[in-house]
Amino acid sequence: MLTKTRAIVLRNIKLGEQKMIVDLLTETDGRLSVVTVIPKTQKGKLKKQYFQPMSILDVELDIRPHTDLQRLRDARIATPYSSIPFNPYKLSITLFLAEFIYYATRDEQQNAPLFAYIERSMQWLDGCTQSFSNFHLVFMMRLSRFIGFYPNTEDYSEGDFFDMRAATFTPHAPVHPDFLSPVDAARIGTLMRMNYDTMHLFRMNHTDRNRIIDVLIDYYRLHVAGFPELKSLPVMKELWA
């Protein structure tokens, strides 16, 4: 069945001389892996640069049920980035988020709000000219809303613990080990008050950011089966030193 949809590239793997496997998050069909042939000459319709992580594409797919690898019939850039490829900080964030989303959404079916959130977030990052050092933290926290385990903030009070299994704040430490101390719980509470337009108003140092990113990854690891160590994490931890 031929399908036209918007798609976000999460990963690409070279297969032989001209073939490439591309992992996509699509607007209409969720996560898909596709195989495509990249011509050696520049005359071909498909260009290797289309499939860089977090590229936003319009694609035509030949989707066949019960097949692990779908066929990519056509692709073009839907939203060209004007700054991300040329800004080393933005590019590092983008590569980290591509790996993060790849594992966080591995079994995701169609989820149009999730797709729209990621697309709009990347467009915001591309257009931002300053004060985006907390972008990845806000993105990671808010992504959890679209895949089912955004924390309940209604009952937070100063001094609360955060139960990472139940995704709730609590005045007492849970009996299991997966909880945050009041100090770390307050960091999560602060993060949840941020959005892209206001995050520059919240001061964080390098230690704060690194602690929050560790907590967020541990939180996802509790709620997403098989969530691994991220290869790009050490780069992110050094980025804002």
Side-chain angles (χ1 to χ4, degrees), residues 41 47 67 74 79 95 157 165 210 215 230:
T41 69
K47 313 292 185 185
T67 301
D74 195 14
T79 304
L95 295 175
S157 298
R165 293 186 186 179
N210 281 350
V215 165
L230 301 182

Short mmCIF file of all heavy atoms in Angstrom, two decimals, residues 41 47 67 74 79 95 157 165 210 215 230:
data_model
loop_
_atom_site.label_atom_id
_atom_site.label_comp_id
_atom_site.label_asym_id
_atom_site.label_seq_id
_atom_site.Cartn_x
_atom_site.Cartn_y
_atom_site.Cartn_z
N THR A 41 25.49 8.99 -7.94
CA THR A 41 25.60 10.30 -8.58
C THR A 41 24.62 11.27 -7.95
O THR A 41 23.65 10.89 -7.28
CB THR A 41 25.29 10.19 -10.08
OG1 THR A 41 23.91 9.90 -10.26
CG2 THR A 41 26.13 9.11 -10.73
N LYS A 47 18.88 11.83 -1.83
CA LYS A 47 20.22 12.27 -1.44
C LYS A 47 20.55 11.73 -0.04
O LYS A 47 19.68 11.69 0.83
CB LYS A 47 20.31 13.80 -1.41
CG LYS A 47 19.71 14.50 -2.62
CD LYS A 47 20.49 14.25 -3.89
CE LYS A 47 19.92 15.09 -5.04
NZ LYS A 47 20.59 14.79 -6.33
N THR A 67 5.97 -7.06 7.44
CA THR A 67 7.31 -6.92 6.87
C THR A 67 8.13 -5.98 7.76
O THR A 67 7.66 -4.89 8.10
CB THR A 67 7.24 -6.34 5.44
OG1 THR A 67 6.46 -7.22 4.62
CG2 THR A 67 8.63 -6.18 4.84
N ASP A 74 10.00 7.52 -2.23
CA ASP A 74 10.41 8.89 -2.52
C ASP A 74 10.54 9.65 -1.21
O ASP A 74 9.91 9.31 -0.21
CB ASP A 74 9.40 9.58 -3.43
CG ASP A 74 9.95 10.86 -4.06
OD1 ASP A 74 11.18 11.06 -3.99
OD2 ASP A 74 9.16 11.65 -4.57
N THR A 79 11.08 20.37 5.97
CA THR A 79 11.44 21.57 6.72
C THR A 79 12.96 21.69 6.74
O THR A 79 13.62 21.04 7.54
CB THR A 79 10.91 21.50 8.16
OG1 THR A 79 9.49 21.29 8.14
CG2 THR A 79 11.21 22.78 8.92
N LEU A 95 21.71 15.32 17.71
CA LEU A 95 22.17 13.93 17.64
C LEU A 95 21.82 13.17 18.92
O LEU A 95 21.44 11.99 18.86
CB LEU A 95 23.68 13.90 17.39
CG LEU A 95 24.12 14.46 16.03
CD1 LEU A 95 25.65 14.49 15.94
CD2 LEU A 95 23.54 13.64 14.89
N SER A 157 4.61 19.59 47.09
CA SER A 157 4.88 20.56 48.15
C SER A 157 6.37 20.52 48.44
O SER A 157 7.03 19.49 48.26
CB SER A 157 4.10 20.21 49.42
OG SER A 157 2.70 20.25 49.19
N ARG A 165 8.47 5.38 40.12
CA ARG A 165 7.62 4.32 39.57
C ARG A 165 6.19 4.81 39.34
O ARG A 165 5.60 4.56 38.29
CB ARG A 165 7.61 3.11 40.50
CG ARG A 165 8.94 2.38 40.61
CD ARG A 165 8.77 1.11 41.43
NE ARG A 165 10.05 0.46 41.68
CZ ARG A 165 10.18 -0.66 42.39
NH1 ARG A 165 9.10 -1.25 42.90
NH2 ARG A 165 11.38 -1.19 42.59
N ASN A 210 23.60 18.16 34.47
CA ASN A 210 24.04 16.78 34.38
C ASN A 210 23.25 15.88 35.33
O ASN A 210 22.93 14.72 35.00
CB ASN A 210 25.53 16.66 34.66
CG ASN A 210 26.37 17.06 33.46
OD1 ASN A 210 25.85 17.24 32.36
ND2 ASN A 210 27.67 17.20 33.66
N VAL A 215 18.83 11.82 35.97
CA VAL A 215 17.55 11.47 36.57
C VAL A 215 16.51 11.16 35.49
O VAL A 215 15.76 10.18 35.58
CB VAL A 215 17.06 12.61 37.48
CG1 VAL A 215 15.58 12.43 37.83
CG2 VAL A 215 17.89 12.66 38.77
N LEU A 230 23.03 5.51 26.64
CA LEU A 230 23.08 6.27 25.40
C LEU A 230 24.53 6.63 25.07
O LEU A 230 25.24 7.22 25.89
CB LEU A 230 22.23 7.54 25.52
CG LEU A 230 20.75 7.31 25.83
CD1 LEU A 230 20.01 8.64 25.88
CD2 LEU A 230 20.10 6.39 24.81
#
